[in-house]
Structure formats: C-alpha cells, structure tokens
Amino acid sequence: MKDIKQKQILAYCSLTAGFGLLSSAYNFYYVKVFLNFYHIQESWFQLSQILFLVWNAINDPLFAYYSDNKNFKILKTRRNMILYSAPFFSLSFLIPWFQWSTNPVIVGLHLIFALCFWDTLFTFIGLTACCLFTEISQDNEMRITLTRASQVASLFSSFSVMVLEHASNGLQDFQAFQVTTVLIAILSWFLMYYCGKNCHTQYDLQQMQQGEKSPDEVCHKRTGHESYWQQTWQIVRDINFISFVVTNFFQEFHRTFLHSFMAIVCDQLITADEISQSSRSTFYGGVPFMSKILVISIAPILRHFSYKKVIRANFIWKISGGLVMYYFIGDGHPWILMGFLLIDKSFANGTFSLFNLPLSDIADANMIKYKRKHPITSMVFGMNALFVKPAISLSPMLVVAILNRYGFSQIKQSTGDIPSPSVNPLTSTQLEDLKGTMFSLVCLYPVVLGTIQLISWSFYRVLNYRTKEVDV
C-alpha cells in the first residue's frame, strides 16, 4: 500500500509540474505580449476578455457535469482525461507566441482564439487535477502530503518564467522566446503523459483490487440519476460553498493582477539605473519559486492549525501590508517595492494553493449529505470555477481601462519592435500621474480585496466528518 501511495503522489506531482510549466508562463506573458508587441487595440482587448469570460462561464459547469455523469471514452477515468488532452493543452500554450498578422482585426481575433482554446484545455485538465487531489484519498493527512509534495514539484515548473526571461533577455529577443516556449511545451506534455499512464484514484484502485481488473478496464462510476440542475442547486445552496466562492473570486482577481501586470508596473516604477533588467528578470522568475517554498514551509503547520486560520492570516497581511506600503513607505524605495511585490504575490499564490483543501471538504460533505457512493467532485470544482473564473477576465479589463485613462496606451504603442511615430510622448506630469496610479493599484488592491475576503471567509465553517468537530 505504501508503494502504491508513493506512485500516486509521484504521478500527481508530475501532472502538477507539467501543468504549472505552462500556466505560470502563459499568465505572466500573454497580456504583455499582446499589449507591448502586437499593439492590440483596447476595444479588441476588452472584447476578447468579455468573450473569454462568457466561455469560462459555459465550459466549467459543462465539462464538470459531463465528467461526473457521462461515459464517453475520454471520460472513462481521471487518468484517461489527462492522457488524451495533454498534447492539445501543450499546443494551446503555443498559440499566443506566434503572431498571425499586424492587422488590428486579426490581432484581436488571435487573442480571442488563443484565450478560448487555452481555457478549454486549461479547464478540462485543471478540473481533472482537482478531482484527482480529492479522489486519490479522503484522508486529511494524505491530502496535506499531496499539497506539500505537489508544491515541491511546482518548484521545478516555477522556473519556466525565469528561463524564458533569461533566454529572451526580458523579451528583447522574441525569437529566442518562441523557441524556448516550444521546448517547454514538449517537456510539459511528457510530464502529463506520465501522470495519464500512472495516476489512479482510490475508487479505481478498489475496482482493480476487488474485481481484479486491469488499469484499462477500470471505469469511473457515474451518478447518472440526477439532473444538472439538481446537482447545481445542491451545491450552490451550501453556505460553506458560497463563502468559499466569494473568497476565491477575489483571490483570483488579485492573483491575475499580479500575474499580468507585475512586469509592466515594475518597468514603469523602477528604472534600469536603479535595478538592472537582468536583476528584474531574476526577480520575475524567482517569485513563483518563493510561492512554492511558502506552501512547503507552512504545510506542517496545517497539522496543528486548521487551513481556515492559515488562510485568514493571509487576508490580515494583505490589509496591513498594503496600508503600510502606501502610507508609510511610498514609491521612492525600489528594492522595498520589489520586496513587497515578492511577499504579496508569494502569499497570494501560496494561499491559493491551499484552496483545494476546503473544496475537497465541501465535495466530501456533499457526498455524505446526499448519500452518494462517489463524490461529484467535478461538479463542485466546476461550479466554483463558474463563479471564480470571470475574475481572470475582469481584473485585466479593469486595470487596462484605468491605466489607459492615464496615458498607458501611449506608452505601450511607443514600445516593442515597431514603435508608432504618430504617438505623442507623455509629459512629465502625465507620466508621474500614471506612475502614481500604478503604485496606488499595487498597494490598495490588496487592501480592498483583503477586507472583502476577511468578511466572506468568516462565514466558512469547517466540519471534520470523522470527529464531528467544527473549526470556527
């Protein structure tokens, strides 16, 4: 049994590493590439984000319901879902980095297709990964071990941004960037392929042991007798689910801002004379690494303090850290600013890495409450994504709209390979206003979002169904 658990952990970590290689790089670069290199018009950028938001709202619950309730070959097991979709996920990662045309309409269509194709595979594999986390074992100790082990694996994947930064010299050598993305996509596919061949849930293992079935004969058991709307109503009426979804929405809102705009903000607020491009590239690549170290460090704490208290501590940091940075330190200290961003992003990503634990508990509680033989894990995670993923579109839409009102569109059109000669440079006063707006966003975003999260998280009640104890 110990060997089986170790193999399951290794296979799950392989998926985490492959998935993280692509997602961290994609989220970090796609906004910057389309804004600064392809010079996408704001109207097309906003339209792409709206369509992306709509597709997000459709595909998550759709994939979730079919995953738990239908018997297509690709959905036969969680393992099969990873195996067959991995090569397409790697392909979707490459779409943004090879420009179709300089025509503004084609650039806009390029972003729309890239986002929707990416999110289709991201959702499909992401949901499956979350289900594997829940269904490999119901034991809380095993889940904590999985959380810690997957973060160790993610240390490897977190270097994708650093590799791309140094290979391309901060995107100055775009061809080198493109070549490196292809190599990363191939490596990611190989890692996910290994998971697809070797990762079984506890329910798969039960069929293999009791029925003497081979891995290829195992089939994920479906609920079958309930409609989509029945299962949806059962989930969304749960106060724990509502509390978690509100908290998670604003967590994703914050993370997306940091993913997409950290490099853009630092390039404007910190000059090359203060901190070199090489140092900044190392910093950008090191931030994901520090996030993983944080989760690995706090995982043992979860055995003594509940994840609810650990997550709540992060919201307190957001509020206090942002206020101190804005009112007492200011924007005149570049190294302190980078240190603040490092801590803020590490805490944001680290806390997000723990969110599988409460969602798994919600799925377990749903199975017990409605007397199921198998949890509707995909539906729980899918409904969460339905409400949370719009934040991925809304966050950059809001930030781009704010920054463009202060002249950011003029700056981005004067950068990249072919600067526009018709663009008037900003005056020194306008440039200072833009920098002040960026600094305010960096500091006050976490304050506002952290306050909302602290309130919503207070309604979450953790029930351990083995001991019948409630952690408040």
Side-chain angles (χ1 to χ4, degrees):
M1 180 62 69
K2 184 177 180 181
D3 291 339
I4 293 176
K5 285 186 176 182
Q6 290 177 344
K7 188 174 183 179
Q8 300 299 85
I9 292 172
L10 179 61
Y12 180 79
C13 289
S14 177
L15 170 62
T16 301
F19 190 82
L21 275 173
L22 302 188
S23 60
S24 58
Y26 193 99
N27 292 330
F28 188 86
Y29 285 110
Y30 93 84
V31 172
K32 187 174 183 180
V33 167
F34 274 91
L35 287 179
N36 289 3
F37 286 84
Y38 303 163
H39 305 308
I40 188 171
Q41 295 177 349
E42 182 183 348
S43 58
W44 276 104
F45 182 84
Q46 302 290 29
L47 176 62
S48 68
Q49 294 296 334
I50 292 172
L51 294 176
F52 179 42
L53 186 155
V54 173
W55 177 234
N56 259 329
I58 296 172
N59 68 18
D60 284 286
L62 179 67
F63 291 164
Y65 181 73
Y66 272 77
S67 177
D68 277 336
N69 295 278
K70 301 300 178 182
N71 291 293
F72 301 132
K73 183 177 180 180
I74 192 176
L75 306 176
K76 188 177 179 181
T77 63
R78 306 297 187 192
R79 183 177 63 84
N80 277 17
M81 294 165 69
I82 296 294
L83 187 64
Y84 292 125
S85 59
F88 297 101
F89 186 43
S90 294
L91 176 63
S92 73
F93 168 74
L94 296 175
I95 298 298
W97 322 131
F98 297 87
Q99 189 173 15
W100 294 357
S101 171
T102 56
N103 183 288
V105 175
I106 303 301
V107 172
L109 294 175
H110 183 187
L111 180 57
I112 292 171
F113 179 80
L115 286 175
C116 292
F117 186 35
W118 162 262
D119 187 65
T120 300
L121 278 301
F122 181 90
T123 297
F124 192 81
I125 292 186
L127 274 174
T128 307
C130 293
C131 293
L132 280 173
F133 177 88
T134 301
E135 296 174 11
I136 284 176
S137 175
Q138 285 184 305
D139 180 62
N140 191 57
E141 288 293 317
M142 179 63 171
R143 286 175 177 172
I144 293 175
T145 301
L146 269 178
T147 300
R148 194 178 190 188
S150 65
Q151 293 305 304
V152 173
S154 295
L155 288 175
F156 168 74
S157 65
S158 65
F159 281 107
S160 61
V161 172
M162 184 178 293
V163 170
L164 286 166
E165 277 290 301
H166 286 286
S168 65
N169 191 24
L171 287 184
Q172 294 181 34
D173 186 347
F174 199 71
Q175 187 175 11
F177 173 82
Q178 292 172 315
V179 172
T180 309
T181 59
V182 173
L183 297 176
I184 289 174
I186 294 172
L187 177 58
S188 174
W189 169 79
F190 176 77
L191 290 167
M192 289 186 285
Y193 176 84
Y194 176 82
C195 174
K197 282 291 187 180
N198 297 282
C199 198
H200 303 280
T201 69
Q202 66 178 25
Y203 306 100
D204 297 339
L205 292 174
Q206 287 172 6
Q207 291 185 53
M208 292 165 62
Q209 293 167 357
Q210 296 173 5
E212 297 182 351
K213 293 182 179 180
S214 68
D216 292 333
E217 295 174 326
V218 171
C219 183
H220 177 62
K221 294 181 180 179
R222 312 296 170 183
T223 56
H225 63 282
E226 293 176 328
S227 71
Y228 170 81
W229 299 110
Q230 281 179 301
Q231 293 182 358
T232 298
W233 177 243
Q234 291 168 2
I235 293 169
V236 299
R237 64 187 294 187
D238 181 0
I239 187 63
N240 284 331
F241 181 79
I242 297 171
S243 170
F244 176 81
V245 161
V246 173
T247 303
N248 196 11
F249 176 88
F250 290 103
Q251 189 74 9
E252 192 61 66
F253 207 90
H254 187 202
R255 289 177 71 245
T256 301
F257 167 69
L258 292 171
H259 278 314
S260 301
F261 293 94
M262 176 179 284
I264 293 173
V265 168
C266 285
D267 287 347
Q268 295 301 319
L269 295 182
I270 302 172
T271 66
D273 294 334
E274 294 172 318
I275 300 176
S276 68
Q277 178 61 50
S278 176
S279 297
R280 272 183 281 183
S281 295
T282 302
F283 169 74
Y284 299 148
V287 170
F289 179 83
M290 293 303 298
S291 303
K292 312 305 177 187
I293 292 293
L294 176 65
V295 178
I296 294 168
S297 302
I298 67 174
I301 299 176
L302 296 174
R303 292 187 170 92
H304 304 286
F305 299 95
S306 69
Y307 59 72
K308 180 180 180 181
K309 294 178 181 178
V310 174
I311 291 172
R312 183 169 55 200
N314 168 251
F315 304 146
I316 296 173
W317 144 257
K318 278 187 184 182
I319 299 169
S320 57
L323 290 174
V324 169
M325 190 68 203
Y326 187 76
Y327 288 106
F328 297 99
I329 297 177
D331 60 354
H333 306 277
W335 284 106
I336 296 179
L337 175 60
M338 289 182 70
F340 171 76
L341 287 170
L342 173 65
I343 297 172
D344 193 31
K345 190 170 183 181
S346 296
F347 273 58
N349 288 340
T351 302
F352 183 79
S353 298
L354 301 179
F355 278 5
N356 276 352
L357 292 170
L359 266 181
S360 295
D361 282 346
I362 291 170
D364 290 343
N366 178 276
M367 180 179 68
I368 293 171
K369 181 176 181 179
Y370 295 101
K371 299 179 174 61
R372 308 183 196 280
K373 294 181 179 179
H374 192 285
I376 52 170
T377 317
S378 293
M379 278 296 291
V380 172
F381 279 90
M383 294 308 300
N384 165 69
L386 169 65
F387 295 109
V388 171
K389 274 197 171 182
I392 300 175
S393 298
L394 293 173
S395 184
M397 287 174 63
L398 176 62
V399 175
V400 168
I402 292 173
L403 294 183
N404 280 349
R405 298 301 176 270
Y406 289 88
F408 179 69
S409 58
Q410 294 171 251
I411 289 182
K412 68 183 178 66
Q413 290 177 33
S414 62
T415 60
D417 296 329
I418 309 176
S420 175
S422 62
V423 175
N424 295 322
L426 295 180
T427 65
S428 58
T429 301
Q430 291 173 320
L431 188 59
E432 287 303 313
D433 288 343
L434 175 62
K435 290 182 177 181
T437 301
M438 288 184 170
F439 182 72
S440 297
L441 286 173
V442 166
C443 298
L444 299 182
Y445 240 46
V447 173
V448 175
L449 301 181
T451 301
I452 298 172
Q453 289 176 295
L454 190 62
I455 295 171
S456 64
W457 192 237
S458 66
F459 291 94
Y460 183 83
R461 296 292 183 269
V462 183
L463 177 58
N464 186 315
Y465 285 89
R466 287 171 292 278
T467 62
K468 302 297 181 182
E469 293 179 355
V470 178
D471 171 32
V472 297

